[in-house]
Amino acid sequence: MDRRSFLRKGALGGAAAAAGSALAAPAIAQETPTVTWRMTSSFPKSLDTIYGAAETMANYVKGMTDGKFNIQVFAAGEIVPGLQAMDSVSNGTVEACHTASYYYWGKDPTFAFATAVPFGLNMRMQNAWFYYGGGNDLMNEFYSNYNITAFPCGNTGAQMGGWFRKEINTVEDMKGVKMRIGGFGGKVVEKLGVVPQQIAGGDIYPSLEKGTIDATEWVGPYDDEKLGFYKVAPYYYYPGWWEGGACLHAMFNKNAYDQLPEAYKIALTAATQAANSDMMASYDYKNPSALKKLLGQGAQLRPFSQEILEACFNAANEVYAEINSSNAAFKKIYDSQFAFRNDAYGWWQLSEFNFDYFMMRQQAAGNLKL
């Protein structure tokens, strides 16, 4: 090949390569567009661990996409009231929200399965069902009726049973008790004579102080200590059997989600899973010291008696039977989650429970102190 022919072909090849590079840039840009979403939270910033899970998720998404997918998080009330978060995503007011699915129990009790139901799964079982038992797919099939796609994004673990102005030892003691408890739990205790009340978080303390209500449930030591319930309702009961592993969700407008590049969908999946784990770890670290602080301030721990727990369990089963008989969507998810519940607790009572129980006995005996 003569030199001029070689140079001519080389120049043409270089031009083609340059043209290829020029054409490639817009294609790459289209694959990673700049996207900005708004996410409204159902929680105030003062509940830093719950509210913070949304920020944790958003920061992971931003980092994984080199800042091209930016989710701006807004506290409850900054765009819409906290309990309207899901509606604002469904109708497209915002692209996303961070909320508890069971807040929308009034629309359809099926929503509750994504957060927690009475005598349901603990946190780890909940995750197992979501990620490996088809739970995410079942819930998203249901959510699609509301133009929503959602993923777990935080968990409180098993919550406490609440603060009571007087001791509750028997089922008879529960009759007539006015308790701030909503949703599924409220439906169950109503069968035992409790009068459930729906009261916003900021109004709970004055309602207890004035005697408008006799008891309230909230979350657990870290969040409860901030609200000072121990000052007016010193008896702190456990466990919160209606929330054995309360899961929060990041909900996305389905139309907006479906239009995302695949890489951004993967980023959302990874970020929500990371935030889900992070929030539980945060509570597990903060709750022990918060409980010590509450006890030092006068809170008195009390377990619900076996009589009360068994009565509530039976009442919950009555409610399940009533809803299953008339709600096909509820029954479909109930059958899946509760079949796993049976198997999961069969496994849990072996190594996991016995190891934990042995170590708890060592702690009670003072053998874990440094």
Side-chain angles (χ1 to χ4, degrees), residues 45-65:
K45 292 180 181 179
S46 58
L47 292 177
D48 57 296
T49 305
I50 294 181
Y51 175 83
E55 292 187 323
T56 297
M57 183 275 296
N59 287 335
Y60 279 131
V61 169
K62 186 175 182 179
M64 284 187 281
T65 60

Side-chain angles (χ1 to χ4, degrees), residues 10 54 62 132 176 207 240 243 251 254 271 273 291 324 349-350:
K62 186 175 182 179
Y132 289 94
S207 297
E243 293 180 283
M251 294 184 173
K254 191 174 186 304
Q273 286 192 15
L291 180 60
N324 278 331
Q349 65 186 295
L350 301 178

Side-chain angles (χ1 to χ4, degrees), residues 43 50 98-100 114-115 151-156 246-250 276 279:
F43 312 103
I50 294 181
H98 186 235
T99 189
T115 304
F151 301 106
C153 189
N155 202 302
T156 67
C247 182
L248 287 304
H249 270 69
N276 194 31
M279 179 174 151

Side-chain angles (χ1 to χ4, degrees), residues 49-338:
T49 305
I50 294 181
Y51 175 83
E55 292 187 323
T56 297
M57 183 275 296
N59 287 335
Y60 279 131
V61 169
K62 186 175 182 179
M64 284 187 281
T65 60
D66 290 328
K68 290 189 174 181
F69 187 5
N70 185 30
I71 300 174
Q72 301 170 338
V73 182
F74 296 86
E78 290 183 342
I79 299 178
V80 295
L83 297 183
Q84 293 177 22
M86 189 197 75
D87 295 327
S88 70
V89 174
S90 180
N91 63 30
T93 300
V94 295
E95 294 84 4
C97 74
H98 186 235
T99 189
S101 183
Y102 67 4
Y103 288 161
Y104 312 99
W105 149 278
K107 295 179 183 292
D108 187 318
T110 309
F111 278 103
F113 283 112
T115 304
V117 293
F119 300 100
L121 307 177
N122 67 24
M123 181 275 299
R124 281 177 53 189
M125 295 174 189
Q126 189 91 308
N127 282 345
W129 179 72
F130 277 130
Y131 297 131
Y132 289 94
N136 271 339
D137 292 336
L138 284 169
M139 288 309 308
N140 277 320
E141 179 185 338
F142 170 74
Y143 286 141
S144 68
N145 298 318
Y146 297 86
N147 193 33
I148 281 172
T149 297
F151 301 106
C153 189
N155 202 302
T156 67
Q159 296 192 6
M160 292 292 282
W163 299 88
F164 290 74
R165 288 162 56 89
K166 64 177 184 178
E167 293 190 66
I168 304 293
N169 299 311
T170 67
V171 173
E172 187 66 25
D173 293 337
M174 298 180 72
K175 292 181 179 178
V177 170
K178 298 186 293 294
M179 183 176 184
R180 186 267 184 193
I181 179 173
F184 215 141
K187 186 75 171 175
V188 172
V189 295
E190 192 173 25
K191 284 184 171 288
L192 303 180
V194 172
V195 183
Q197 307 284 311
Q198 293 274 18
I199 299 175
D203 297 328
I204 298 174
Y205 185 92
S207 297
L208 278 171
E209 188 175 37
K210 295 172 184 176
T212 306
I213 58 174
D214 306 304
T216 185
E217 61 85 29
W218 193 237
V219 181
Y222 179 70
D223 289 328
D224 292 12
E225 193 272 333
K226 297 176 183 178
L227 299 182
F229 297 142
Y230 63 90
K231 299 174 184 177
V232 288
Y235 300 106
Y236 198 20
Y237 276 83
Y238 62 91
W241 46 263
W242 53 93
E243 293 180 283
C247 182
L248 287 304
H249 270 69
M251 294 184 173
F252 309 111
N253 178 275
K254 191 174 186 304
N255 296 333
Y257 176 82
D258 288 347
Q259 292 172 21
L260 287 175
E262 193 61 29
Y264 287 8
K265 292 179 182 178
I266 292 171
L268 282 177
T269 299
T272 52
Q273 286 192 15
N276 194 31
S277 175
D278 182 84
M279 179 174 151
M280 187 71 262
S282 180
Y283 270 124
D284 280 341
Y285 188 79
K286 294 170 180 174
N287 277 330
S289 58
L291 180 60
K292 286 182 182 179
K293 188 174 180 181
L294 281 168
L295 295 177
Q297 293 169 330
Q300 300 183 48
L301 287 173
R302 295 288 188 275
F304 285 125
S305 67
Q306 287 302 300
E307 176 192 341
I308 289 175
L309 288 174
E310 288 174 10
C312 291
F313 181 80
N314 293 333
N317 286 337
E318 291 178 16
V319 176
Y320 286 129
E322 292 166 4
I323 301 173
N324 278 331
S325 67
S326 60
N327 188 323
F330 183 94
K331 188 176 188 307
K332 182 177 182 178
I333 297 178
Y334 171 92
D335 287 347
S336 171
Q337 190 177 102
F338 276 46

